[in-house]
Amino acid sequence: MAMKSLKLLAVAALFAAAGAHAQTYPTKPISMVVPFAAGGPTDTVARTIAASMQKSLGQTVIVENVGGAGGTLGAERVARANPDGYTVLLHHIGMSTAPALYRNLRFKPMEDFIPIGLVADVPMTMIARGNFPATNFKEFLAYVKANKDKLSYANAGLGAASHLCGLLFMSRIETDFTTVPYKGTAPAMNDLLGGQVDFMCDQTTNTTGQIKGGKVKAYAVTSAARVPSLPNLPTMQEEGLPGFEVVVWHGVYAPKGTPKAVQDKLVAALQEALKDPVVKQRFNDLGTDPVPQARATPDALANQLKSEIAKWGPVIQKAGQYAD
């Protein structure tokens, strides 16, 4: 009987400690892990949102870049982190494609994380080196099909948004071309600017400045509607590829087991950040907008993740591109 009482007291003490932690949280800086290299589009989104979230949390939110293996190393690190609210993950669409891409994935996106909320939907742009011969999408498509064996398509590595866009593009136009994977968006863009590769599909957060500066040629956006910051670029659907839509959504996650009260504080801080005029302006400059408040919720992110896993699995399986 005494042993049972001691166990009950121990359990009660644990709950009391968890409750006290949640009430005082946060008392130290929070690490926001980005599973990609610094300077890329997801890193830009993370730094913008982290700087605003820390205002309402009252503690610094430090962006930590943990790249490698298509974003899976950083995600795994957060999945294994202490679920105390001091390590969170900002990941993009790759969270939903990892189960199909990686045969030996060491985490389960739907089971090992607590969704906090969506952040932004970032369109992508189909771009080419500055001296690419095509002047519009129709000419671009014809040239790619006619010269498929001579052209090279750059992407930021297996599982990157640029990789996924390329897979879908090849599938839709029924044309295979040489793909050149890089270790991140920055080196891929550098080689495109230098003419070492011919074309790529990348997020507006990374391409808008290059397009406006006339350093690359742009042919279309991958969103359902035109992008306000690039109004002259048609959508892929306008150009004859109905249903072609690749939007790189970003979400914030915490490790499974994070106390509910801590989750609630993170959700509230995210929602406040998405209302921040500075965040709105920064995102607008990059060709996107924060998601509406109704989507900056745990349920919205959970539903998005589930539906995107179902969407991309068949595309990846058809392409037969996997990694260990």
Side-chain angles (χ1 to χ4, degrees):
M1 192 70 175
M3 183 63 70
K4 184 177 181 180
S5 297
L6 286 173
K7 288 182 177 179
L8 289 173
L9 285 172
V11 171
L14 285 173
F15 275 108
H21 167 75
Q23 288 176 6
T24 58
Y25 171 86
T27 59
K28 61 182 181 180
I30 298 164
S31 174
M32 178 178 284
V33 172
V34 174
F36 303 103
T42 301
D43 180 67
T44 300
V45 170
R47 292 181 187 278
T48 301
I49 206 71
S52 186
M53 284 181 70
Q54 65 189 21
K55 297 175 187 177
S56 52
L57 289 169
Q59 288 288 340
T60 303
V61 180
I62 302 169
V63 173
E64 184 180 0
N65 299 95
V66 183
T72 62
L73 293 184
E76 183 185 357
R77 176 169 172 174
V78 176
R80 304 288 176 259
N82 188 8
D84 56 6
Y86 291 102
T87 305
V88 298
L89 173 71
L90 189 144
H91 205 340
H92 65 23
I93 189 174
M95 193 71 155
S96 65
T97 59
L101 281 168
Y102 293 89
R103 300 178 192 276
N104 299 309
L105 192 65
R106 292 189 290 270
F107 62 87
K108 296 180 179 179
M110 292 295 297
E111 298 177 21
D112 293 335
F113 298 89
I114 298 292
I116 300 302
L118 285 156
V119 176
D121 295 324
V122 181
M124 302 189 78
T125 50
M126 188 63 74
I127 60 174
R129 52 183 163 80
N131 60 349
F132 201 80
T135 59
N136 56 50
F137 186 83
K138 184 177 180 180
E139 291 179 5
F140 169 77
L141 188 58
Y143 192 86
V144 167
K145 287 186 172 185
N147 297 275
K148 62 179 183 178
D149 297 327
K150 302 175 185 177
L151 300 177
S152 55
Y153 172 87
N155 66 54
L158 185 71
S162 50
H163 171 232
L164 300 173
C165 186
L167 288 183
L168 188 60
F169 186 54
M170 285 191 286
S171 174
R172 291 301 306 276
I173 68 172
E174 299 180 341
T175 302
D176 292 331
F177 36 77
T178 301
T179 60
V180 183
Y182 287 80
K183 293 182 178 179
T185 299
M189 178 62 78
N190 285 340
D191 273 8
L192 184 74
L193 293 173
Q196 281 77 39
V197 288
D198 297 298
F199 66 111
M200 69 184 294
C201 178
D202 202 10
Q203 300 174 57
T204 55
T205 45
N206 195 48
T207 63
T208 299
Q210 308 290 1
I211 293 169
K212 290 185 174 180
K215 296 180 179 180
V216 297
K217 285 188 176 180
Y219 297 104
V221 294
T222 65
S223 49
R226 293 197 181 200
V227 176
S229 60
L230 299 167
N232 295 326
L233 273 188
T235 68
M236 294 284 235
Q237 298 185 56
E238 287 179 74
E239 292 296 329
L241 295 178
F244 191 105
E245 184 177 358
V246 183
V247 176
V248 185
W249 50 274
H250 298 75
V252 177
Y253 306 81
K256 179 183 178 181
T258 301
K260 181 64 165 60
V262 172
Q263 297 175 40
D264 291 343
K265 287 189 177 182
L266 289 168
V267 172
L270 175 61
Q271 291 182 343
E272 281 300 310
L274 296 178
K275 294 188 289 186
D276 186 342
V278 175
V279 171
K280 289 183 176 181
Q281 184 58 56
R282 176 62 174 148
F283 279 9
N284 184 260
D285 291 342
L286 295 169
T288 186
D289 293 295
V291 298
Q293 294 289 296
R295 296 185 65 217
T297 65
D299 285 347
L301 177 52
N303 291 334
Q304 181 86 6
L305 180 59
K306 183 178 180 180
S307 65
E308 290 282 290
I309 287 174
K311 171 184 175 179
W312 286 104
V315 174
I316 293 166
Q317 289 165 7
K318 182 181 179 180
Q321 297 189 13
Y322 305 101
D324 293 332

